[in-house]
């Protein structure tokens, strides 16, 4: 059992006391201490979206709620990803803001692509949109390992990695975290495929099976997300993995020391 000082629940409760807006809509003093200023443009944009009416349709779906709390040594979400990748027969689409997959996840993706001819598509942030530059450096260094699964005897490429370029479309950081499997099931939630998601952050996801809902998510990925992303070539991935520039190589080396915290 952790001491009160190290207990993450205590940290969260303290942070909420410092940042929550009270019943009268007043912002806490900490924001004034930080010289906090509201961004009027963003405020107006939020108001515009808040006023929109969205036509909702409902359908049933077989669902599971999965929670992982690293402080209790829970790895349920990671296990779910590995199980669903291992059972995929046709297609895996992963859209994740901070993509720093473990060795187990990388091997599972490569095995699916190389041995079962599964089409694997990954979309994550680019250096232009990622708000964690060190994490981006480590993420890019792993592309090459995953893309080596494309070296099949028939020459067919089963793995594609895209970097989100929302900055070119007046859009910011990609913050989505979901995955689609065989157009039948999906994982949607707060979980990042990175070391923090595995061993530091408590996370939750919903796993559901509904072909219509999964098809809608896939259509959104194909019609919008991929079109606003740049496909990474094997040559680019190799340069990320072993940077030819000395400064970039040093940056990657230093980033490796912080990998467990990313």
């Amino acid at each position: 059992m952790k001491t009160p000082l190290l207990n993450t629940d205590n940290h969260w409760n303290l942070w909420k006391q410092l940042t929550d807006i009270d019943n009268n809509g007043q912002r806490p003093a900490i924001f004034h201490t930080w010289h906090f200023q509201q961004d009027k443009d963003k405020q107006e944009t939020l108001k515009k979206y808040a006023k929109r009416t969205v036509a909702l349709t409902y359908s049933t779906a077989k669902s599971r709620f999965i929670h992982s709390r690293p402080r209790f040594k829970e790895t349920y979400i990671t296990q779910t990803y590995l199980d669903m990748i291992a059972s995929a027969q046709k297609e895996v689409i992963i859209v994740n803001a901070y993509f720093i997959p473990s060795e187990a996840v990388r091997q599972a993706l490569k095995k699916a692509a190389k041995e079962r001819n599964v089409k694997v598509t990954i979309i994550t942030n680019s250096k232009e949109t990622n708000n964690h530059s060190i994490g981006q450096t480590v993420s890019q260094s792993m592309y090459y390992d995953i893309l080596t699964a494309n070296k099949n005897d028939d020459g067919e490429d089963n793995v594609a990695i895209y970097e989100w370029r929302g900055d070119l479309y007046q859009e910011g950081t990609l913050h989505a975290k979901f995955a689609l499997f065989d157009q039948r099931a999906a994982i949607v939630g707060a979980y990042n495929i990175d070391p923090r998601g595995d061993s530091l952050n408590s996370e939750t996801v919903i796993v559901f099976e509904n072909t219509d809902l999964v098809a809608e998510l896939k259509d959104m990925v194909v019609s919008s997300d991929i079109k606003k992303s740049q496909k990474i070539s094997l040559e680019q991935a190799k340069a990320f993995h072993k940077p030819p520039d000395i400064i970039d190589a040093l940056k990657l080396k230093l980033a490796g020391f912080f990998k467990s915290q990313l």
Side-chain angles (χ1 to χ4, degrees):
M1 184 175 179
K2 292 185 177 180
T3 65
L5 181 62
L6 298 178
N7 191 307
T8 52
D9 289 338
N10 291 341
H11 282 277
W12 175 242
N13 290 331
L14 177 60
W15 184 251
K16 283 179 63 65
Q17 291 175 27
L18 290 173
T19 60
D20 277 358
I21 297 173
D22 65 23
N23 293 331
N24 296 320
Q26 297 298 311
R27 297 183 179 276
I30 191 170
F31 283 117
H32 301 295
T33 304
W34 289 345
H35 305 288
F36 176 82
Q37 294 181 348
Q38 294 183 29
D39 186 319
K40 297 298 182 183
D41 290 337
K42 290 181 180 178
Q43 200 85 348
E44 292 303 315
T45 299
L46 288 173
K47 287 181 181 178
K48 181 182 71 174
Y49 281 106
K51 292 178 180 178
R52 288 196 314 172
T53 57
V54 180
L56 299 177
T57 56
Y58 298 91
S59 60
T60 59
K62 181 180 179 182
S63 304
R64 288 175 289 160
F65 175 85
I66 300 176
H67 188 187
S68 284
R69 296 167 296 178
R71 67 183 184 276
F72 295 129
K73 309 299 182 183
E74 295 174 350
T75 60
Y76 303 127
I77 298 177
T78 302
Q79 291 176 44
T80 300
Y81 262 94
L82 290 173
D83 288 346
M84 295 187 76
I85 292 171
S87 63
Q89 297 301 314
K90 296 180 180 179
E91 182 178 57
V92 173
I93 297 175
I94 294 175
V95 182
N96 203 269
Y98 309 114
F99 185 72
I100 307 177
S102 65
E103 175 70 17
V105 171
R106 295 200 304 274
Q107 291 300 324
L109 291 172
K110 289 163 62 178
K111 185 175 182 179
K114 203 170 183 67
E115 297 183 10
R116 303 196 307 279
N117 208 33
V118 174
K119 299 293 184 182
V120 176
T121 301
I122 298 163
I123 304 176
T124 189
N125 275 298
S126 61
K127 69 176 182 179
E128 291 81 6
T129 61
N130 199 325
N131 54 352
H132 297 292
S133 60
I134 296 178
Q136 179 67 22
T137 298
V138 176
S139 177
Q140 289 180 325
S141 72
M142 295 183 174
Y143 295 169
Y144 184 72
D145 179 39
I146 301 171
L147 288 176
T148 57
N150 281 332
K151 296 180 180 179
N152 290 339
D153 294 336
D154 58 9
E156 184 179 2
D157 286 352
N158 285 333
V159 182
I161 299 177
Y162 294 87
E163 287 190 341
W164 169 253
R165 288 303 309 270
D167 58 302
L168 301 178
Y169 301 88
Q170 291 74 54
E171 298 182 34
T173 299
L174 172 74
H175 208 256
K177 299 100 181 282
F178 65 89
L180 312 176
F181 303 89
D182 291 342
Q183 299 189 48
R184 61 173 180 79
I187 301 175
V188 180
Y191 175 79
N192 289 309
I193 302 177
D194 63 9
R196 293 189 67 87
D198 286 338
S199 59
L200 292 175
N201 296 342
S202 293
E203 303 285 11
T204 59
V205 299
I206 295 290
V207 179
F208 65 82
E209 297 178 25
N210 181 300
T211 55
D212 291 336
L213 291 177
V214 174
E216 286 187 35
L217 277 173
K218 180 180 177 179
D219 181 66
M220 178 184 69
V221 171
V222 173
S223 64
S224 179
D225 294 345
I226 287 181
K227 290 182 178 180
K228 296 179 180 178
S229 302
Q230 176 188 10
K231 188 176 182 179
I232 301 301
S233 67
L234 187 63
E235 291 72 23
Q236 286 176 301
K238 191 172 184 179
F240 292 145
H241 182 62
K242 291 187 176 180
D245 182 82
I246 296 177
I247 300 299
D248 289 338
L250 180 60
K251 183 179 178 181
L252 177 58
K253 186 71 173 178
L254 291 173
F257 291 114
F258 301 97
K259 183 178 175 182
S260 65
Q261 303 296 315
L262 299 176

